[in-house]
Amino acid sequence: MRYFIQLSYRGTAYHGWQFQPNGISVQEVLEQKLSLILKERISIVGSGRTDAGVHAEQQFAHFDIEKPIALTDLMIHALNCMLPPDIAIQSIFPVDPTAHARFSATTRYYQYRIRKQKSPFLDFLVYVFRPELDIDRMNEAANLVLQHTDFESFSKVRTNVSHFRCVIHRAEWLIENDQLVFHIKANRFLYGMVRTLVGTMLEVGQGRMTVAEFKEILLANDRRKAGRSAPASGLFLVEVGYPAEVFSKKMMNDER
């Protein structure tokens, strides 16, 4: 039997999603608690790896188990009570054995959130950035991102991938309440890509880099040309997209 988990987490205390030899990860904590409540060793596979300090409003993972699970609200509640306050399970539901949290996903949607003023309620959940920014120029740069497919200049070096191509569906900066938010949605992302794009576009917004220079970086395929990575605190994975058939068993269960 294969099950999907929908969860969210505040990434501040973790060395990212995936197991790390030098620190605690979200995956490690979740596997420990699932193994306890299900009384057997559980291994999980996430939809993707978020970096240290990055948050997720929506993340999916899957695990396999021999026997069907009696899924109830009480079971989810018990699991959430076992988990630390910064990790929360929304649902667990059966899927076909061919459904894969990572490889079945068709889109990932991130937001990067910036504030000009510190907030005691948003500590480590935004990037506090004081300089004035030209948002129109930043959106000119974001429009170039939409037209591009090779993002080697914005990937961390020595990353283990076969290619650097990503199909970008959305890239724009919007002012939302008292925050400046970068929205980016794609079929896949490279390691460190969103934070490096944000850091480089902040250079454009400050007038320290022209839009033409940003385009040259896109075409250079050289990480050394791009700007610094923005801090992890402002980055959120907000949605993972799947084909409707992945959720077919969940809908059947919900109707019972």
Side-chain angles (χ1 to χ4, degrees):
M1 294 288 294
R2 176 161 291 184
Y3 289 86
F4 262 38
I5 310 169
Q6 182 181 342
L7 70 150
S8 54
Y9 52 85
R10 174 176 168 146
T12 307
Y14 301 97
H15 286 239
W17 163 264
Q18 192 168 19
F19 274 107
Q20 299 291 334
N22 60 339
I24 194 74
S25 69
V26 178
Q27 180 184 24
E28 180 180 352
V29 172
L30 187 54
E31 286 189 1
Q32 287 174 352
K33 303 309 180 187
L34 273 171
S35 298
L36 280 172
I37 202 166
L38 297 176
K39 297 182 172 58
E40 67 175 86
R41 182 73 178 91
I42 299 295
S43 297
I44 61 176
V45 176
S47 70
R49 294 177 289 179
T50 52
D51 294 347
V54 175
H55 320 290
E57 290 184 349
Q58 184 185 75
Q59 169 70 294
F60 284 94
H62 79 249
F63 66 92
D64 296 326
I65 192 169
E66 287 293 327
K67 297 179 180 178
I69 301 169
L71 294 172
T72 64
D73 289 342
L74 186 60
M75 182 261 191
I76 302 294
H77 175 70
L79 180 56
N80 276 323
C81 288
M82 295 169 68
L83 287 165
D86 50 12
I87 301 176
I89 306 295
Q90 279 78 52
S91 63
I92 300 176
F93 54 94
V95 295
D96 285 330
T98 56
H100 194 286
R102 179 182 175 190
F103 298 126
S104 296
T106 54
T107 58
R108 282 90 174 169
Y109 169 30
Y110 282 88
Q111 292 180 6
Y112 195 92
R113 301 167 185 175
I114 297 173
R115 279 175 57 91
K116 295 196 72 170
Q117 297 288 348
K118 175 183 176 181
S119 166
F121 307 107
L122 297 172
D123 191 25
F124 297 110
L125 295 174
V126 292
Y127 178 30
V128 179
F129 190 78
R130 292 281 301 158
E132 293 295 325
L133 295 168
D134 187 325
I135 300 169
D136 289 338
R137 274 195 307 206
M138 292 166 71
N139 270 320
E140 286 183 52
N143 189 55
L144 292 173
V145 171
L146 281 169
Q147 301 170 35
H148 204 65
T149 56
D150 190 313
F151 291 90
E152 186 173 358
S153 290
F154 299 92
S155 173
K156 286 190 177 180
V157 294
R158 293 190 292 274
T159 185
N160 186 25
V161 295
S162 59
H163 66 87
F164 298 92
R165 294 185 301 277
C166 305
V167 179
I168 310 297
H169 303 293
R170 181 184 182 185
E172 64 177 330
W173 291 90
L174 296 173
I175 297 173
E176 299 177 359
N177 299 320
D178 56 354
Q179 294 184 4
L180 174 61
V181 182
F182 179 55
H183 299 261
I184 184 163
K185 186 175 185 178
N187 67 324
R188 68 191 286 260
F189 288 94
L190 304 168
Y191 187 32
M193 175 178 159
V194 179
R195 290 168 57 196
T196 308
L197 278 169
V198 168
T200 309
M201 282 188 276
L202 287 174
E203 296 284 303
V204 174
Q206 293 174 84
R208 299 170 64 175
M209 178 187 296
T210 66
V211 175
E213 288 170 335
F214 181 84
K215 183 177 182 178
E216 289 175 7
I217 293 169
L218 276 168
L219 298 172
N221 297 339
D222 185 349
R223 173 63 184 89
R224 294 169 298 178
K225 303 290 186 183
R228 68 180 182 88
S229 293
S233 58
L235 184 58
F236 289 76
L237 174 62
V238 297
E239 183 183 88
V240 184
Y242 292 94
E245 55 264 27
V246 169
F247 300 98
S248 59
K249 285 191 175 182
K250 180 181 186 298
M251 289 186 288
M252 289 170 60
N253 275 16
D254 292 344
E255 290 170 359
R256 287 175 185 169

